[in-house]
């Protein structure tokens, strides 16, 4: 005769099968609370106690059904059955571990949280473990999210704590709801997402941005911050001038805003403000030269495009030669942009790369074009120039300031460097600078200047901590600074990936936490993030990007 289940089972899910112990004796079914997903052994008394006292989500009318209803229930000793206790604890711990692992997989891969309630997902998980019930969408977006966010945040803070110097970068963005957002990234030099904030009705004035920077600087701790890096928008410049008064030892680096290169998919459309995208566009066009020339001989195509375009595509002496010349011109710009967008600390390379860029431009045979480009380069240099760029180049032992022009004499470097240290140390700083400049004192041995020794400037300067403590500390700080805030700009791709048109109901607070987990977990595991950058192999092998395959030419429709 089938035993009638206690009515309390109406509020629990019952496992399909019962576990057995080592002796083969069947144990209780596993019960999962319908209101909070708590898993326990299927003992009605224990289940009633849970609904009466422990379940945080149980409706009041259900709770009252089991309140003081059974004295035996009230006096039930949950420690009487050690086997049941161990079973419940083990099942609970196992579920918690699985829930955490599933939640982390969702957050780190950007899977919509509602997917957890997809019946096919649930069915698949039940195939793996019939007694496992996955967390609800609500749990994924609340308790589990908060738990994982705290863990990732703790790991992030630990990484920051273990870094000698960090740089703070920031950028602004407008999300899918047209709400203005400001993010803050930290480079260690590995980029770490610190936080984002919704500025709401606050205008992005210099005063407001300075106030937000000030808050973040205090959160992190001023002693570790080597530099603050943003683009060179007017409001950012204003924020820099405000903060420089309060934090004279922090370098507030303004730079030319360099945007990311577009992803190569068939023909690459250029963006007017992106040098890289113009170069990639023209290279992909050149790679398809033969196919494009053959296409114009197809009658259906020839009739659908202007004759002037037909003649240009066929013209091998004029049109295509001009494109090749433009690509040769853009190539050095593209390479330097990509190098400056790196996550690596490369501030000391900026002066060297711009000097070489100007020299390449001077080799152009077209004099009028050469003068125009040189003027543009000079204008950009003036906009992005900061004394820290020249000082970093000078203090990089790979360069030792060898190509500095008379515009940047030693006196200027010593004066500007003194501004970033306490005034009572300025005399000692200049003394150490003179040793470095003349390769005397602790720098007088030729072994210190061999290529193998100077390959890593940070390690090199750390080796002189005892001999030149003031200059060494400042040089390491300077060598730890990236050349741009590209990490902050790339992070907007993560925002767009998490809060997209199919997930537009995500609140900003929840989005910020999901982006933090998504970005920092993937960076910690060495994974490439969901950005639009073209990798180095694509840049060096653009002739392999074929837009129109010859076998498809005859099938082109108009």
């Amino acid at each position: 005769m089938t035993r009638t289940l206690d009515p309390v089972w109406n509020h629990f899910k019952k496992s399909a099968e019962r576990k057995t112990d080592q002796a083969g004796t069947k144990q209780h079914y596993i019960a999962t609370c319908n209101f909070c997903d708590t898993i326990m052994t299927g003992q009605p008394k224990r289940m009633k106690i849970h609904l009466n006292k422990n379940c945080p989500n149980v409706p009041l009318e259900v709770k009252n059904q089991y309140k003081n209803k059974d004295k035996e229930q009230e006096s039930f000793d949950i420690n009487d059955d050690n086997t049941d206790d161990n079973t419940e604890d083990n099942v609970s711990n196992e579920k918690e571990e699985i829930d955490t692992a599933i939640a982390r997989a969702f957050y780190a891969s950007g899977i919509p949280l509602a997917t957890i309630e997809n019946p096919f997902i649930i069915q698949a998980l039940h195939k793996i473990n019939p007694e496992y019930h996955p967390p609800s969408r609500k749990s994924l977006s609340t308790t589990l999210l908060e738990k994982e966010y705290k863990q990732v945040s703790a790991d992030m803070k630990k990484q920051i704590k273990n870094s000698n110097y960090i740089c703070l970068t920031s950028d602004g963005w407008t999300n899918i709801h047209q709400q203005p957002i400001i993010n803050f990234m930290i480079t260690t030099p590995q980029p770490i997402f610190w936080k984002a904030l919704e500025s709401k009705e606050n205008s992005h004035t210099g005063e407001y941005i300075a106030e937000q920077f000030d808050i973040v600087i205090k959160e992190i701790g001023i002693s570790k911050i080597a530099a603050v890096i943003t683009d060179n928008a007017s409001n950012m410049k204003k924020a820099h001038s405000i903060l420089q008064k309060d934090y004279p030892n922090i370098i507030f680096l303004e730079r030319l805003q360099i945007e990311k290169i577009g992803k190569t998919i068939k023909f690459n459309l250029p963006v007017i403000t992106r040098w890289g995208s113009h170069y990639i566009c023209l290279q992909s066009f050149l790679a398809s030269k033969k196919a494009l020339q053959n296409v114009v001989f197809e009658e259906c195509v020839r009739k659908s495009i202007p004759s002037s375009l037909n003649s240009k595509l066929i013209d091998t002496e004029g049109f295509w030669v001009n494109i090749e010349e433009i690509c040769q011109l853009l190539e050095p710009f593209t390479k330097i942009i990509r190098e400056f967008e790196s996550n690596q600390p490369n501030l000391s390379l900026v002066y060297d790369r711009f000097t070489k860029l100007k020299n390449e431009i001077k080799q152009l045979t077209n004099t009028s074009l050469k003068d125009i480009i040189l003027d543009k380069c000079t204008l950009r240099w003036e906009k992005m120039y900061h004394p820290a760029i020249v000082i970093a180049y000078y203090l990089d032992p790979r360069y030792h300031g060898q190509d500095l022009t008379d515009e940047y004499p030693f006196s200027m470097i010593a004066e500007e460097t003194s501004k970033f240290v306490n005034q009572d140390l300025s005399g000692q700083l200049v003394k150490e600078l003179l040793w470095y400049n003349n390769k005397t004192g602790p720098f007088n041995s030729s072994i210190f200047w061999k290529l193998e020794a100077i390959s890593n400037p940070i390690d090199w300067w750390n080796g002189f901590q005892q001999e030149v403590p003031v200059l060494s500390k400042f040089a390491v700080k300077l060598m730890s600074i990236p050349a741009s805030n590209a990490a902050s700009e790339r992070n907007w791709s993560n925002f767009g990936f998490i809060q997209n048109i199919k997930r537009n109901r995500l609140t900003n607070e929840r989005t910020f936490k999901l982006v933090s987990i998504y970005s920092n977990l993937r960076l910690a595991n060495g994974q490439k993030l969901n950005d639009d950058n073209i990798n180095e192999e694509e840049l060096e092998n653009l002739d392999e990007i074929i837009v129109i395959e010859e076998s498809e030419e005859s099938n082109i429709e108009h």
Side-chain angles (χ1 to χ4, degrees):
M1 182 175 179
T2 304
R3 183 178 178 181
T4 303
L5 290 176
D6 191 292
V8 73
W9 278 102
N10 293 331
H11 309 298
F12 289 82
K13 299 181 184 74
K14 183 168 69 73
S15 60
E17 298 178 358
R18 296 161 64 180
K19 287 187 175 181
T20 58
D21 58 18
Q22 294 181 350
T25 305
K26 288 187 176 181
Q27 305 295 315
H28 290 282
Y29 286 100
I30 301 300
T32 304
C33 178
N34 292 337
F35 307 113
C36 67
D37 292 334
T38 296
I39 295 179
M40 61 180 62
T41 54
Q43 293 178 284
K45 291 180 180 180
R46 188 184 301 276
M47 295 154 68
K48 293 172 184 178
I49 290 176
H50 172 75
L51 294 175
N52 181 23
K53 294 183 176 181
N54 301 327
C55 182
N57 302 326
V58 62
L60 184 60
E61 62 271 17
V62 176
K63 182 182 181 73
N64 289 336
Q65 290 180 28
Y66 303 101
K67 188 173 183 180
N68 298 323
K69 184 177 181 181
D70 192 340
K71 292 182 179 180
E72 183 180 357
Q73 171 189 328
E74 292 294 329
S75 60
F76 181 68
D77 185 0
I78 61 174
N79 295 316
D80 284 348
D81 190 345
N82 291 331
T83 302
D84 288 342
D85 283 341
N86 291 337
T87 301
E88 179 178 344
D89 290 343
N90 291 338
V91 170
S92 179
N93 291 338
E94 183 181 7
K95 175 175 169 54
E96 183 178 352
E97 291 177 1
I98 298 175
D99 285 353
T100 300
I102 288 178
R104 179 171 296 179
F106 268 65
Y107 306 147
S109 57
I111 300 175
L113 305 186
T115 305
I116 196 64
E117 295 180 349
N118 184 294
F120 294 101
I121 296 295
I122 296 174
Q123 184 180 17
L125 292 173
H126 282 171
K127 287 290 185 181
I128 298 172
N129 185 347
E131 296 184 356
Y132 174 70
H133 296 279
S136 64
R137 175 184 181 180
K138 181 178 180 181
S139 296
L140 276 183
S141 61
T142 53
T143 53
L144 289 171
L145 175 61
E146 193 65 30
K147 177 183 177 182
E148 187 65 20
Y149 177 70
K150 288 180 179 179
Q151 180 62 51
V152 171
S153 297
D155 294 341
M156 172 186 67
K157 291 176 181 177
K158 183 178 180 181
Q159 186 174 346
I160 293 173
K161 182 180 179 180
N162 293 335
S163 301
N164 292 325
Y165 293 107
I166 62 176
C167 297
L168 176 62
T169 75
S170 180
D171 196 29
W173 185 62
T174 301
N175 69 10
I176 194 172
H177 300 298
Q178 300 304 306
Q179 297 168 322
I181 306 293
I182 300 176
N183 73 357
F184 294 93
M185 300 285 291
I186 291 171
T187 63
T188 62
Q190 185 77 357
I192 294 175
F193 176 73
W194 177 255
K195 74 173 187 180
L197 60 91
E198 181 185 355
S199 50
K200 297 182 180 179
E201 71 277 0
N202 296 298
S203 176
H204 288 187
T205 62
E207 290 78 8
Y208 175 76
I209 293 174
E211 180 182 349
Q212 302 309 314
F213 267 117
D214 185 61
I215 293 173
V216 175
I217 289 171
K218 286 182 169 63
E219 288 175 348
I220 299 171
I222 186 175
S223 61
K224 282 187 172 290
I225 298 180
V228 173
I229 308 171
T230 66
D231 58 39
N232 65 344
S234 58
N235 56 349
M236 290 297 181
K237 291 184 177 181
K238 180 66 177 295
H240 287 176
S241 62
I242 295 173
L243 290 167
Q244 191 73 70
K245 297 176 182 177
D246 296 328
Y247 302 104
N249 293 331
I250 294 180
I251 298 171
F252 291 88
L253 187 63
E254 301 166 5
R255 71 167 190 94
L256 171 64
Q257 184 177 11
I258 305 174
E259 296 185 291
K260 301 190 295 295
I261 299 173
K263 191 173 183 179
T264 304
I265 302 176
K266 295 188 178 181
F267 280 114
N268 295 275
L269 297 179
V271 181
I272 193 170
T273 57
R274 299 181 182 178
W275 280 98
S277 64
H278 284 79
Y279 175 72
I280 299 297
C281 171
L282 294 176
Q283 280 285 10
S284 64
F285 198 65
L286 282 174
S288 304
K289 175 182 175 181
K290 183 177 180 181
L292 287 170
Q293 288 178 327
N294 289 334
V295 162
V296 299
F297 291 108
E298 296 292 329
E299 184 177 356
C300 60
V301 176
R302 188 171 61 252
K303 292 180 179 180
S304 64
I305 61 177
S307 57
S308 59
L309 180 57
N310 272 330
S311 60
K312 285 183 178 180
L313 292 175
I314 299 172
D315 180 13
T316 57
E317 298 299 324
F319 179 73
W320 292 101
V321 170
N322 288 339
I323 292 181
E324 291 174 355
E325 290 181 352
I326 294 174
C327 283
Q328 291 174 2
L329 172 64
L330 293 179
E331 184 177 9
F333 287 91
T334 302
K335 288 183 177 180
I336 195 173
I337 287 172
R338 287 200 50 82
E339 193 166 21
F340 291 170
E341 284 185 338
S342 167
N343 289 329
Q344 299 303 313
N346 50 18
L347 183 65
S348 62
L349 305 182
V350 175
Y351 182 87
D352 175 71
R353 299 303 188 263
F354 261 83
T355 300
K356 291 180 178 178
L357 181 63
K358 290 181 179 179
N359 290 335
E360 287 190 48
I361 296 171
K362 291 177 181 178
Q363 302 303 316
L364 295 176
T365 56
N366 190 323
T367 306
S368 59
L369 183 60
K370 174 173 63 179
D371 293 339
I372 293 173
I373 297 175
L374 282 175
D375 289 342
K376 293 292 184 181
C377 285
T378 301
L379 180 61
R380 292 302 185 186
W381 174 258
E382 292 173 352
K383 286 186 176 181
M384 67 179 292
Y385 171 75
H386 188 285
I389 295 175
V390 173
I391 298 172
Y393 173 74
Y394 170 77
L395 291 179
D396 190 325
R398 294 172 294 182
Y399 304 111
H400 197 242
Q402 60 188 5
D403 291 325
L404 285 176
T405 64
D406 295 339
E407 186 179 357
Y408 309 106
F410 174 80
S411 58
M412 169 267 179
I413 293 175
E415 182 180 356
E416 292 293 341
T417 304
S418 298
K419 295 179 181 179
F420 298 108
V421 300
N422 295 330
Q423 292 305 304
D424 55 345
L425 297 175
S426 58
Q428 179 66 25
L429 173 68
V430 174
K431 178 181 178 181
E432 295 173 3
L433 273 172
L434 285 168
W435 284 341
Y436 174 77
N437 185 70
N438 300 323
K439 295 185 180 181
T440 57
F443 304 103
N444 65 354
S445 176
S446 60
I447 195 172
F448 295 143
W449 300 95
K450 291 183 177 294
L451 290 177
E452 298 84 356
I454 63 178
S455 61
N456 189 317
I458 293 179
D459 290 345
W460 193 84
W461 277 107
N462 278 327
F464 289 98
Q465 288 182 358
Q466 298 295 327
E467 295 86 351
V468 286
V470 180
L471 182 59
S472 173
K473 183 177 181 180
F474 175 73
V476 170
K477 178 186 291 188
L478 212 58
M479 297 299 127
S480 303
I481 300 175
S484 74
N485 72 332
S488 288
E489 295 180 357
R490 277 193 290 269
N491 196 46
W492 294 129
S493 295
N494 300 331
F495 271 84
F497 179 64
I498 296 297
Q499 191 179 40
N500 55 49
I501 192 170
K502 293 184 178 180
R503 306 180 71 187
N504 55 28
R505 290 189 296 172
L506 281 174
T507 64
N508 282 329
E509 180 182 2
R510 191 164 292 154
T511 299
F512 297 162
K513 291 178 180 179
L514 286 170
V515 170
S516 176
I517 296 171
Y518 175 80
S519 301
N520 295 328
L521 272 182
R522 291 165 65 84
L523 286 169
N525 285 277
Q527 293 178 307
K528 183 180 178 181
L529 297 186
N530 184 50
D531 58 45
D532 295 327
N533 286 331
I534 294 177
N535 59 42
E536 295 295 338
E537 184 177 356
E538 286 174 319
L539 280 176
E540 295 175 0
N541 299 286
L542 284 172
D543 58 337
E544 297 178 2
I545 302 176
I546 304 300
V547 180
I548 302 176
E549 297 182 1
E550 291 186 341
S551 60
E552 297 178 349
E553 290 172 7
S554 60
N555 297 323
I556 294 178
E557 298 179 358
H558 63 90

